[in-house]
Amino acid sequence: MNDRPRLTVLSGPSGVGKSTVVAHLRKAHPEVWLSVSATTRRPRPGERHGTQYYFVDDEEFDKLIANGELLEWAEFAGHRYGTPRRAVMERLAAGDPVLLEIDLQGARLVRQSMPEARLVFLAPPSWEELVRRLSGRGTEPPEVIEKRLAAARTELAAESEFDVTLVNTSVEDVVAELLALVS
């Protein structure tokens, strides 16, 4: 462990496997604290309020923004997502390793407000694999998949803005590499 843990931000294109990597990391290393984002999107099957996300309506989200309670926030696929600031700062102050799993817009905002944060880019093994993953989810209509693919092209082009790139060829390998960066 470093003397003072810093915030680690995991980002990358939609469908690259961020949630899967984080779930495996947290299962093996529950001491790594994962910030839970607020979102205006509806829960997917199996998602619970306060676990995967804090599900809030637009009015509640507007209040979080107005009160400066979000470290970052962004709009994606017609929904807003944001990181509650207080919990992140409290965990860092307590010396806990903190991990954020957020999109490119959010990562850029964290870089502005916390330049000491380590930004980690999770890249797909190939574009074809990313297309397969995004199309294979089966939870979204074709127009949403098209939006996600367009966003993924933009997100992949931003890789150079990050401190470290991990290629998601194996969840186990990426988890080991990410753990070394977080702790």
Side-chain angles (χ1 to χ4, degrees):
M1 285 283 185
N2 301 329
D3 294 342
R4 202 167 147 250
R6 62 179 164 171
L7 179 62
T8 301
V9 174
L10 181 67
S11 194
S14 178
V16 77
K18 296 182 296 291
S19 301
T20 303
V21 165
V22 168
H24 278 73
L25 175 74
R26 294 271 301 126
K27 193 172 179 184
H29 299 277
E31 72 277 9
V32 176
W33 188 76
L34 177 69
S35 173
V36 176
S37 296
T39 184
T40 57
R41 126 169 128 59
R42 304 293 312 150
R44 289 186 183 134
E47 290 182 332
R48 291 195 323 276
H49 181 75
T51 303
Q52 286 81 10
Y53 289 98
Y54 294 111
F55 296 98
V56 298
D57 62 22
D58 282 311
E59 189 181 334
E60 288 175 274
F61 204 94
D62 290 341
K63 282 182 190 166
L64 292 172
I65 295 169
N67 295 334
E69 292 178 42
L70 298 176
L71 183 62
E72 59 77 32
W73 71 271
E75 190 164 333
F76 184 73
H79 302 289
R80 292 184 291 172
Y81 298 81
T83 302
R85 177 189 304 274
R86 185 185 304 134
V88 169
M89 296 313 190
E90 285 173 356
R91 291 294 180 140
L92 287 171
D96 298 332
V98 174
L99 180 63
L100 294 188
E101 177 206 333
I102 54 178
D103 74 352
L104 174 63
Q105 283 175 278
R108 285 174 170 158
L109 290 167
V110 169
R111 164 81 8 115
Q112 287 172 14
S113 63
M114 296 181 74
E116 72 279 9
R118 179 187 286 118
L119 271 53
V120 179
F121 188 84
L122 188 61
S126 68
W127 173 252
E128 292 73 24
E129 175 62 16
L130 189 63
V131 170
R132 188 187 68 71
R133 289 180 189 178
L134 281 173
S135 305
R137 257 186 191 167
T139 56
E140 285 139 350
E143 61 273 14
V144 172
I145 292 171
E146 276 308 309
K147 273 188 187 168
R148 287 188 184 277
L149 288 172
R153 283 186 196 94
T154 304
E155 291 162 342
L156 286 169
E159 181 182 338
S160 62
E161 298 175 33
F162 288 74
D163 302 313
V164 180
T165 295
L166 304 178
V167 179
N168 193 5
T169 47
S170 147
V171 172
E172 292 75 19
D173 292 349
V174 170
V175 166
E177 293 174 77
L178 186 58
L179 183 64
L181 293 171
V182 171
S183 15

